[in-house]
Amino acid sequence: MGPPGMWWLDQDVVRLLKFTPEQQNKMSDIFQANRTKMIDLKATLDKEEVTLEPLMKADVPEDAKILAQIDRVAAARAELDKNHAKMLLAMRHVLTPEQWKVLQAEDRGGPRGGPRGGP
């Protein structure tokens, strides 16, 4: 099927949405173009969360440091979410109106492990 998250290569999804090989290639290209950035953004979020942990566990919590770090965690998470949404939007443009309707009808979560919230 391909790496995790590449739902458009799943044969059940291909049959359900009647994907063409060209559409699959476009989706894979979009995924690949965003993959490194998503890895970097996830790593940044992980680092910010790891930095927050000892601040929260301190015997005497320093509110100013904790609140500033919470802001950094929230900003990192927002950047990751924004990039993910942009990638899904690009994928959405690959779908035909009919494919989009089928995707939406599949529990708004995508067919068999497709993108949460649809592309």
Side-chain angles (χ1 to χ4, degrees):
M1 178 170 119
M6 295 182 78
W7 54 270
W8 58 92
L9 299 179
D10 180 278
Q11 289 307 305
D12 290 335
V13 175
V14 171
R15 279 191 293 278
L16 178 68
L17 295 178
K18 299 180 177 110
F19 274 142
T20 66
E22 180 182 74
Q23 285 177 306
Q24 288 179 291
N25 289 338
K26 284 182 182 178
M27 300 279 260
S28 292
D29 289 346
I30 292 166
F31 180 77
Q32 190 60 39
N34 285 277
R35 196 171 182 188
T36 302
K37 181 163 181 132
M38 296 289 285
I39 289 168
D40 290 343
L41 291 171
K42 175 69 169 100
T44 298
L45 173 58
D46 290 345
K47 288 175 190 176
E48 297 297 354
E49 288 177 336
V50 166
T51 301
L52 178 61
E53 285 178 24
L55 296 174
M56 293 294 290
K57 292 179 180 178
D59 290 337
V60 180
E62 297 179 55
D63 289 10
K65 285 183 180 181
I66 291 171
L67 294 173
Q69 189 59 34
I70 289 170
D71 287 343
R72 286 190 283 280
V73 168
R77 184 172 290 122
E79 196 59 33
L80 177 62
D81 289 346
K82 185 170 38 172
N83 190 267
H84 186 248
K86 286 179 182 179
M87 180 182 71
L88 292 177
L89 177 60
M91 290 178 169
R92 163 65 177 93
H93 289 294
V94 174
L95 302 175
T96 66
E98 294 78 22
Q99 289 168 327
W100 176 240
K101 288 176 187 170
V102 171
L103 188 64
Q104 286 181 308
E106 287 291 319
D107 192 27
R108 295 271 324 141
R112 297 172 188 85
R116 287 282 159 219

